[in-house]
Amino acid sequence: MKAYETSYIRNIALLGHGSTGKTTLAEAMLYAAGMTSRLGKVESGSTVSDFDPEEIKRKISIRTSLVPILWKDYKLNLLDTPGYFDFVGGVKEAVSVADGALIVIKASAGVEVGTEKAWEIATEADIPKMLFITEMDAPNVNIEAILTTCKEKFGTSIAPVQVPWYEKGQFVGYVHVLKMLGRRFDGQKVVTCPIPDHLEEAIKPIRTMILEAVAETDEVLMEKYFAEEELTPEEIEKAYKKGVMNKEIVPVLCGSAVNATGISVLMDTMVSLFPAPNEAKPSIGIHQKTEEVKEIACSNDEKKSIFIFKTIVDPFIGKLSLFKVKTGTIKTDDALLNVRAGEVERFSHLYVLSGKEQKEVAALYPGDIGAVAKLKTPRTGDTMADKDFAYQYEPMVFPKGLVKKAIFPTGKGDEEKMSSSLMKLMAEDYTLSVENDKETHETILCGIGEQQLDVVVSMLKNKFKVDVYLAQPTTPYRETIKGKANVRGKHKKQSGGHGQYGDVVMAFEPSGDLEMPYVFEEKIFGGSVPKQYFPAVEKGLEECTLKGVLAGYPVVGVKAVLLDGSYHPVDSSEMAFKMATTLAFKEGVGKASPTLLEPIAHVEIKVPDEYTGDIMGDMKKRRGHMIGMDQRDSKQVIIAEVPLAELYTYATDVRSMTQGRGEVDYYFERYEEAPVDIQQKVIAARA
């Protein structure tokens, strides 16, 4: 594949709700550009971008794929992203290197939750947007209703470029309102023709909308518009592109990916309206030493630098690092410094990916997207550059995985294999993480949703040949006491030779500090227990607090006072006093009203107003305690305290209750006494 210069490159993220037809649209573009001889289908697993066995099996995208489209003199780097929330990490990767976002809407479904999420993500990334309404040939499509919803949800920037043209219920063409031309489909071609009379009325409000949007981009045009002077086609087109680049105008186009109609017009429009990388907003660079922030334009004027936005780890081909060239021209055999790791690595081969296919190239110009294999140090978010390039690009921020499951290998001795395979999957997906619980000795897998964790289990089995299963994590309960008890612990054992003798009288009561396992004091008078045995008593106490008397959980908040005791000049030893303390602890804690404490989390749930009732009702079922409410970004934030045991899959449950519009964050707050019925269940389960 030849190298394309910066002004002939367009980097576009395909965004939208799950199953709206993003992958099918990418296939239609490949076909319309003559790069494939037939349309690949998601159903048959024959698409270019969904090549992973998991994607073929599930018939959904689970990772972002790069699909370069060579259209006329241009190269469109399409980043086909997953639509399902569990795989949002892939969307974040795509928008970090895209210079424009094409949001796909299925005509039969209209604006869905994923459409709103895609809009939010593209807006946050501060890149120009375009909407494409696909499946226009489906029966009973109401494009006016879709446009009205778009304006309600996304504001007045929505500006349709086309008015669809139907004959006998069939989608046969459209009117290009920007150019005021009729366009009729002739197989895969689009033929220019007069505007049909019956569409004149439908065109007027759309044309007015476009002229208003265009006039707002320029004071001179605004004056002409209000003076009712005619704007020239050149003025309209130039101002329209300026409006798109400034994120003031969002064009809307329509067509059908399944039948490949309207696709060539879409690609022409993306070329003409979306910015080339050197026209797009500059990248943010942070100086390695001074932390000074600088805007770095995509050009050949600077030293060489790239940003690694994605990592693919394959058991056979090794690690592939996908990158965007930010400055300079990258060539085979270039040696670049990994700014984070401080290591220089040589690029022995450069590739352009098209789905799973790797095409070798000799050079990549600024703004292009490529891949390099088998580098040792790079990871997602790294900057690699010439040694005297002093800046590091802003890293991506990934959402935190709050759905948690304990993961266990099925086979004995597979722990290490499971661990190393998980590390490889985490290198690919930064929304996945692993926590090793030292207390329960469980490996906790954290992700965005249960579907994502299910894919991990499947990948471990099929890709890395390690069988695993998931379970609910063990909740880290604690034990403490509410009352007081004075007890004697005596350890006396006589055998041939020296015996064992240790005797302690101890008082147990709450210390009031649940952060500390125990507080130890001694109030011995008259040397009934010599000082040399005090450390042995404390050591026995320390060991006893590791496992409580109720259910074997660690003990906290206990004050133990050594009051009295006795010793034998020959048979007493440190071990004997340790054993005596153990006996005293078990009896004393058992008599001092032992109780179980459960971990409580501080939870914040951000939802649209209409879902607050459902969330609060569900809170009661989870034994949650409301603290308050707050307003943030036009959404309600419900603040509560909830037992941690109720939260392991709560992020998924909130998405279900809010149709994907809710977000959750939580962190451990403190321990408090569990209700009696919960205590009984936990103790019975541990028996």
Side-chain angles (χ1 to χ4, degrees):
M1 187 180 278
K2 75 166 191 172
Y4 280 74
E5 293 200 16
T6 308
S7 54
Y8 292 94
I9 296 166
R10 301 290 182 272
N11 297 316
I12 299 150
L14 281 183
L15 310 179
H17 193 80
S19 300
T20 49
K22 298 182 293 297
T23 299
T24 304
L25 180 59
E27 285 298 313
M29 289 193 212
L30 283 166
Y31 182 65
M35 296 182 71
T36 53
S37 55
R38 62 184 178 82
L39 277 166
K41 290 194 165 97
V42 172
E43 294 73 27
S44 60
S46 58
T47 65
V48 170
S49 58
D50 283 0
F51 58 87
D52 190 279
E54 285 299 316
E55 294 177 313
I56 293 167
K57 179 175 88 176
R58 295 166 192 270
K59 298 180 174 37
I60 59 167
S61 300
I62 61 173
R63 54 150 63 122
T64 288
S65 292
L66 180 64
V67 183
I69 313 275
L70 308 184
W71 177 245
K72 297 181 179 176
D73 295 326
Y74 293 84
K75 182 184 183 190
L76 309 178
N77 284 321
L78 287 188
L79 294 141
D80 181 17
T81 68
Y84 290 93
F85 307 117
D86 288 32
F87 309 106
V88 69
V91 184
K92 293 281 187 182
E93 290 168 347
V95 296
S96 74
V97 293
D99 303 312
L102 182 67
I103 300 173
V104 183
I105 298 172
K106 191 193 267 189
S108 57
V111 176
E112 298 174 89
V113 183
T115 321
E116 295 172 33
K117 288 274 182 191
W119 182 278
E120 283 173 19
I121 289 169
T123 303
E124 193 184 314
D126 196 26
I127 53 177
K129 297 178 278 286
M130 193 181 289
L131 304 183
F132 183 71
I133 303 170
T134 187
E135 283 194 16
M136 286 297 294
D137 44 2
N140 306 315
V141 168
N142 186 345
I143 192 163
E144 287 82 8
I146 294 171
L147 290 173
T148 301
T149 309
C150 286
K151 282 176 210 157
E152 286 169 2
K153 299 269 185 191
F154 310 134
T156 54
S157 60
I158 300 296
V161 177
Q162 301 161 333
V163 170
W165 176 359
Y166 288 95
E167 282 180 7
K168 296 177 184 174
Q170 296 292 309
F171 179 51
V172 296
Y174 59 89
V175 175
H176 197 302
V177 188
L178 204 59
K179 296 180 177 175
M180 287 305 284
L181 294 170
R183 298 280 175 84
R184 193 180 180 96
F185 300 129
D186 180 13
Q188 303 302 324
K189 294 178 188 171
V190 181
V191 180
T192 302
C193 59
I195 295 171
D197 295 338
H198 70 277
L199 288 176
E200 292 284 357
E201 283 305 307
I203 291 165
K204 281 179 188 173
I206 304 291
R207 179 75 174 168
T208 303
M209 196 189 309
I210 285 175
L211 292 175
E212 284 175 357
V214 160
E216 283 179 15
T217 65
D218 189 287
E219 283 184 24
V220 176
L221 296 184
M222 180 74 83
E223 284 174 22
K224 277 184 85 171
Y225 178 69
F226 280 123
E228 295 186 3
E229 291 178 39
E230 193 70 31
L231 302 183
T232 67
E234 292 75 23
E235 284 176 327
I236 292 171
E237 206 156 327
K238 188 180 172 188
Y240 197 86
K241 173 161 184 169
K242 183 184 171 187
V244 172
M245 301 265 274
N246 292 340
K247 282 81 73 181
E248 294 163 358
I249 293 175
V250 178
V252 186
L253 290 92
C254 56
S256 171
V258 175
N259 296 326
T261 48
I263 304 303
S264 56
V265 179
L266 172 63
M267 291 193 284
D268 283 340
T269 309
M270 289 196 294
V271 165
S272 66
L273 295 181
F274 274 146
N278 55 343
E279 298 172 308
K281 65 166 187 141
S283 301
I284 300 296
I286 300 156
H287 198 282
Q288 294 170 55
K289 290 178 181 171
T290 65
E291 295 192 356
E292 168 217 351
V293 174
K294 177 187 174 184
E295 288 191 344
I296 300 170
C298 184
S299 76
N300 240 331
D301 301 336
E302 290 265 6
K303 299 284 183 185
K304 298 179 184 190
S305 70
I306 66 169
F307 176 71
I308 294 170
F309 70 95
K310 183 170 183 60
T311 305
I312 298 172
V313 181
D314 190 280
F316 305 107
I317 62 169
K319 185 167 79 171
L320 266 177
S321 301
L322 277 68
F323 62 84
K324 181 180 183 179
V325 183
K326 293 283 192 175
T327 55
T329 299
I330 306 298
K331 295 176 182 172
T332 305
D333 283 335
D334 275 348
L336 297 181
L337 172 77
N338 182 333
V339 174
R340 175 191 54 79
E343 294 282 330
V344 174
E345 302 218 36
R346 188 168 297 280
F347 288 27
S348 52
H349 298 279
L350 284 178
Y351 300 101
V352 166
L353 298 189
S354 181
K356 67 179 175 184
E357 196 181 342
Q358 300 163 30
K359 298 173 182 176
E360 197 161 345
V361 289
L364 290 166
Y365 287 103
D368 211 345
I369 293 175
V372 60
K374 297 178 181 175
L375 297 185
K376 292 189 180 109
T377 61
R379 55 192 193 206
T380 300
D382 277 357
T383 300
M384 296 191 76
D386 279 333
K387 288 180 185 176
D388 44 2
F389 183 86
Y391 291 86
Q392 191 163 359
Y393 293 109
E394 247 187 335
M396 290 172 269
V397 178
F398 290 95
K400 193 163 63 171
L402 291 169
V403 173
K404 301 187 177 188
K405 294 275 185 181
I407 184 167
F408 303 95
T410 307
K412 281 188 178 177
D414 275 351
E415 286 83 2
E416 201 171 311
K417 193 176 176 185
M418 179 186 82
S419 181
S420 65
S421 302
L422 280 173
M423 292 296 285
K424 288 172 183 171
L425 290 177
M426 285 175 354
E428 285 194 347
D429 185 352
Y430 270 47
T431 64
L432 272 181
S433 62
V434 164
E435 298 169 0
N436 291 306
D437 194 313
K438 289 176 184 172
E439 183 183 319
T440 63
H441 306 293
E442 289 176 346
T443 300
I444 309 298
L445 183 62
C446 313
I448 301 295
E450 287 172 85
Q451 189 178 21
Q452 180 192 23
L453 301 190
D454 184 42
V455 166
V456 168
V457 170
S458 202
M459 279 185 163
L460 287 171
K461 181 179 181 178
N462 300 319
K463 202 172 178 181
F464 297 98
K465 308 303 175 201
V466 53
D467 270 337
V468 299
Y469 65 93
L470 301 176
Q472 187 85 332
T474 301
T475 303
Y477 292 98
R478 294 284 182 267
E479 296 183 25
T480 192
I481 53 175
K482 296 192 288 182
K484 297 181 179 181
N486 281 33
V487 293
R488 172 166 239 126
K490 184 181 279 191
H491 177 68
K492 186 177 181 183
K493 198 172 182 183
Q494 196 63 46
S495 55
H498 280 307
Q500 292 182 40
Y501 185 88
D503 175 29
V504 292
V505 175
M506 299 186 78
F508 292 93
E509 61 183 79
S511 70
D513 182 4
L514 296 181
E515 300 284 316
M516 297 285 291
Y518 67 91
V519 173
F520 174 63
E521 289 180 8
E522 54 80 20
K523 292 182 179 176
I524 294 287
F525 295 101
S528 55
V529 176
K531 283 184 179 178
Q532 72 207 58
Y533 295 126
F534 293 174
V537 171
E538 186 168 1
K539 184 68 179 168
L541 191 63
E542 184 185 328
E543 287 180 10
C544 286
T545 56
L546 298 176
K547 276 184 136 183
V549 299
L550 287 177
Y553 286 105
V555 176
V556 292
V558 169
K559 182 179 179 183
V561 184
L562 179 61
L563 299 172
D564 200 359
S566 61
Y567 75 102
H568 189 281
V570 176
D571 291 348
S572 283
S573 67
E574 287 188 1
M575 179 56 74
F577 271 96
K578 203 165 116 178
M579 294 297 291
T581 306
T582 302
L583 294 171
F585 180 90
K586 285 180 179 173
E587 186 186 347
V589 168
K591 285 180 175 176
S593 305
T595 191
L596 211 59
L597 302 173
E598 63 181 347
I600 303 295
H602 175 97
V603 185
E604 295 191 5
I605 311 110
K606 189 173 167 184
V607 291
D609 273 346
E610 61 265 34
Y611 298 107
T612 52
D614 294 341
I615 294 294
M616 288 158 90
D618 181 69
M619 266 293 144
K620 288 178 185 172
K621 293 180 195 167
R622 293 174 193 271
R623 302 185 288 117
H625 167 63
M626 282 287 297
I627 290 177
M629 290 179 78
D630 196 4
Q631 188 84 19
R632 268 180 236 161
D633 307 329
S634 77
K635 287 185 179 176
Q636 284 289 352
V637 178
I638 299 164
I639 303 163
E641 288 182 344
V642 186
L644 189 66
E646 304 283 344
L647 294 174
Y648 295 123
T649 60
Y650 187 52
T652 303
D653 299 336
V654 165
R655 284 206 294 274
S656 297
M657 284 186 280
T658 61
Q659 296 183 306
R661 292 180 173 89
E663 296 168 27
V664 178
D665 193 15
Y666 67 82
Y667 56 84
F668 169 76
E669 183 74 67
R670 66 177 184 283
Y671 277 95
E672 67 178 38
E673 190 176 358
V676 175
D677 60 324
I678 299 295
Q679 291 199 38
Q680 288 169 349
K681 280 181 194 170
V682 173
I683 292 166
R686 296 273 283 191

